[in-house]
Amino acid sequence: MLMQVDRQSAVWSGMPVAEPVLEVRGLRISFPTRHDTVNAVSDVSFSIRKGEILGVVGESGAGKSMTGLATLGLLEPPGHISAGQIFLGGQRIDNLPDRQMEKIRGRRIGAIFQDPLTSLHPLFTVGAQLVETIRLHLRLTRAQAKRRAVDLLKEVGIPAPEDRVNDYPHQFSGGMRQRVVIALALAAEPELIIADEPTTALDVSVQAQIMALLRRLCDDRGAAVMLVTHDMGVIAETADRVAVLYAGRVIEIGSVEEITRAPKHPYTSGLMGSIPPLQGRVPRLMQIDGAMPRPDAIPAGCPFNPRCAKAGPRCLSDLPPLVEIAGTRAACWLYSGGVN
Amino acid sequence: MASLDVALSVKGLTKKFDISAPFLNRIVERKPKRYLCAVDDISFEVPKGGCVSLVGESGCGKSTVARLVVGLYAPTGGAVEFGDHRDGNALSVQMIFQDPYSSLNPRWRVRDIVAEPIRELNLREGEAAINARVDELLRVVGLSPKDGTKFPHEFSGGQRQRISIARALGGEPTFLVCDEPTSALDVSVQAQILNLMRDLQDKLGLTYLFISHDLSVVRHMSDRIAVMYLGRIVEDAPTEALFDEPLHPYTRLLLDTIPNLEAPKRARDAAAGEVPSPIDPPSGCTFHPRCPLANARCKAERPAILSVGDGRRVACHAVEEGRG
């Protein structure tokens, strides 16, 4: 049903619809347990166009990292995609065998993970790691690959790249290391970059530099970026559109301006209200009581209903559809027929 | 002795860590002894019933100050003095740790965890009184007395942080040192914990020393903020004054780099450089390699922290000379 809404809205807006780089439709990720099956992601649909940054935001356990891993084909068994499709440039990739997925990963999809120290091999120089990645995906000689490695390090803003290319990861600081990881992700000029909490392990002043770099690379190269983070501030500053995830579902999706200015879903507005404001002081923060339900105990109806101040009888029984409201789409009965 | 209104007074506090090579290497390779100066001659005061925050990036020494204040480390130099309690006893101090996953013993039931400081300090006589006190503490932090029989793994991160707050309150402290109490939590849960800490402050008249790297959290919680950089306090001012008019170039950099929800897609000043290693800090003012206002004097001479009026202190040559 969600898919239909998706297509309809594209037709309604009357805009020339370019083929999105990434399209995820009705994704469900399941983990079989001894008695039962648990869905870490229940129903997630979105698309990312060329040169666009989509922020995927949510609290821990919302399924945002799972969505990124599923796109990369890196779900740890027994986790698997049990419904839905993932399209990369029009080609379906969620059902490809591992051998073919290996060629897509790194070549067409680049990945940046949270901790730059564990994403790099400590016993090889960053140059060796870059050359390996470049030669795996592109037909270049060793010398050409090395030149390209230096160019990449320069592009991500590492000073004296000719010398630093021979250094080991421990010789770089945290921010510089994350730049190396970004260079690795860019090595084969991928169409899509998946950045999973790329700045969480970094200090704020370095975080600003890395986000500016990601934005610039996205603009220059026209890559599509899926930015997975829990930090609404990072999203507000870097992303073009935002998808808010809650308990494995997209509950609101729309442009950054619209969602930060006037969030529609009670969870999104609660999330925005619980961030201490920078302008002016508030005596008390807006508070969402309780915590996100665990994947094996998601309540019936709207998954947010136990924490929602506006919940009515309908929210307890029926799952709200994602509907268009003034520029964004939200899944809440308040906007589709009332809570009663 | 500190005055009656001052809960904590820190004077010239210094902590050096020995990071020398092992003894044999020093002898064979003739390596000298090396020290890391984590906290370098800092002074500040926390008024009773107030909340003073220490902010800074990783490696600036803020957590070391927290540990020095509660006595987990012995200072290399300087003094930590606590003000008097109403009955003349020194203030009692407790600490809330950053990671609620590693600060609770996984093999103990919550009831025993919360009761430990009560038993240890002999604050209640008899098992019944201790149990009643534990129930009361669990209720104060928003848990149910029934939760006492569970183990820590049965709780979410936010609830675990509530348990560690209950445990800290068990020692009947008047002074709480909070080392990044919400940085391991999700934002909606962070709001719950910050609201709880505010309520407890009003109800129990607690004094907080709050350590955080998150400026928006710090602004929400504190009356006064001290900004630290590489082991020293570079600016110390009342919260509103600091946010309205930051004086030190490092404070300005920090304020520029925090994402602002009210102005999405603002072009952030992506300041160059990172915090240098505290093992081998730059000469003079340690901020000079990243500072837009630095000149020859900044490279050579270390600025002292000077009072600039309105209860503010700044350690910067540029501010002192009016170059800023």
Side-chain angles (χ1 to χ4, degrees), chain A residues 59-60 173 175-176 203 205 209 233 236-237 239-240 274-276 278-279 281-285 287-288 290 307, chain B residues 57-58 186-188 191-192 195 198-199 216 219-220 222 240 253 259-262 264-265 268 271 273-274 290:
Chain A
E59 296 181 275
S60 34
S173 64
M176 286 295 156
D203 281 318
S205 68
Q209 299 168 19
E237 231 157 45
D240 300 300
S274 48
I275 304 168
L278 280 170
Q279 271 98 27
R281 274 183 101 153
V282 288
R284 265 184 92 78
L285 295 170
Q287 175 174 328
I288 316 175
R307 302 174 74 187
Chain B
E57 296 179 279
S58 41
D186 280 316
V187 274
S188 73
Q192 296 169 12
N195 283 341
R198 269 282 186 84
D199 294 345
S216 52
R219 175 178 187 151
H220 180 70
S222 46
E240 289 311 308
L253 181 149
N260 190 342
L261 278 176
E262 275 126 74
K265 294 210 203 154
R268 270 200 273 181
E274 289 179 43
R290 300 173 76 188

Side-chain angles (χ1 to χ4, degrees), chain A residues 159-182:
Chain A
E162 297 83 1
D163 304 328
R164 296 311 299 269
V165 74
N166 296 318
D167 282 351
Y168 289 89
H170 75 266
Q171 290 167 299
F172 289 82
S173 64
M176 286 295 156
R177 232 177 259 146
Q178 196 60 297
R179 286 172 195 263
V180 172
V181 173
I182 293 176

Side-chain angles (χ1 to χ4, degrees), chain B residues 42-296:
Chain B
I42 71 165
S43 306
F44 63 91
E45 284 184 345
V46 182
K48 261 185 202 164
C51 175
V52 171
S53 292
L54 297 176
V55 283
E57 296 179 279
S58 41
C60 74
K62 54 191 192 301
S63 290
T64 309
V65 173
R67 284 163 175 264
L68 285 165
V69 166
V70 293
L72 287 172
Y73 290 148
T76 313
V80 175
E81 283 175 8
F82 288 101
D84 285 346
H85 202 25
R86 279 183 300 275
D87 50 11
N89 297 329
L91 294 173
S92 82
V93 183
Q94 289 285 340
M95 184 161 177
I96 301 169
F97 295 91
Q98 172 172 4
D99 184 1
Y101 292 87
S102 59
S103 60
L104 301 175
N105 189 336
R107 290 160 182 266
W108 282 24
R109 291 185 193 275
V110 167
R111 175 165 295 282
D112 298 322
I113 293 174
V114 177
E116 191 185 18
I118 306 173
R119 288 175 214 258
E120 203 60 31
L121 299 168
N122 290 322
L123 293 172
R124 290 287 185 284
E125 287 291 327
E127 217 37 39
I130 292 177
N131 279 335
R133 174 71 178 146
V134 169
D135 289 352
E136 184 194 338
L137 286 168
L138 289 174
R139 243 180 262 124
V140 163
V141 297
L143 295 170
S144 130
K146 273 185 294 181
D147 292 331
T149 53
K150 295 184 186 163
F151 286 98
H153 74 263
E154 295 172 67
F155 295 90
S156 67
Q159 288 171 317
R160 283 183 209 214
Q161 204 58 300
R162 288 175 192 268
I163 297 169
S164 40
I165 293 174
R167 174 179 61 183
L169 294 176
E172 295 178 10
T174 40
F175 193 97
L176 271 182
V177 177
C178 317
D179 186 5
E180 304 255 19
T182 59
S183 65
L185 306 177
D186 280 316
V187 274
S188 73
V189 181
Q190 167 175 294
Q192 296 169 12
I193 297 293
L194 294 179
N195 283 341
L196 171 68
M197 290 179 65
R198 269 282 186 84
D199 294 345
L200 291 174
Q201 188 174 25
D202 295 342
K203 232 186 284 173
L204 307 171
L206 296 171
T207 307
Y208 290 131
L209 176 64
F210 197 91
I211 316 279
S212 180
H213 69 281
D214 188 331
L215 279 160
S216 52
V217 169
V218 160
R219 175 178 187 151
H220 180 70
M221 289 300 290
S222 46
D223 315 315
R224 203 180 168 78
I225 297 176
V227 182
M228 289 188 69
Y229 189 75
L230 284 178
R232 318 194 87 213
I233 292 179
V234 295
E235 183 164 2
D236 173 18
T239 303
E240 289 311 308
L242 189 92
F243 275 84
D244 290 346
E245 194 204 356
L247 292 177
H248 197 282
Y250 178 62
T251 316
R252 285 185 223 165
L253 181 149
L254 273 186
L255 292 183
D256 278 346
T257 49
I258 25 178
N260 190 342
L261 278 176
E262 275 126 74
K265 294 210 203 154
R266 172 174 62 120
R268 270 200 273 181
D269 243 357
E274 289 179 43
V275 185
S277 160
I279 298 175
D280 192 14
S283 65
C285 170
T286 48
F287 186 61
H288 85 253
R290 300 173 76 188
C291 182
L293 307 173
N295 64 8

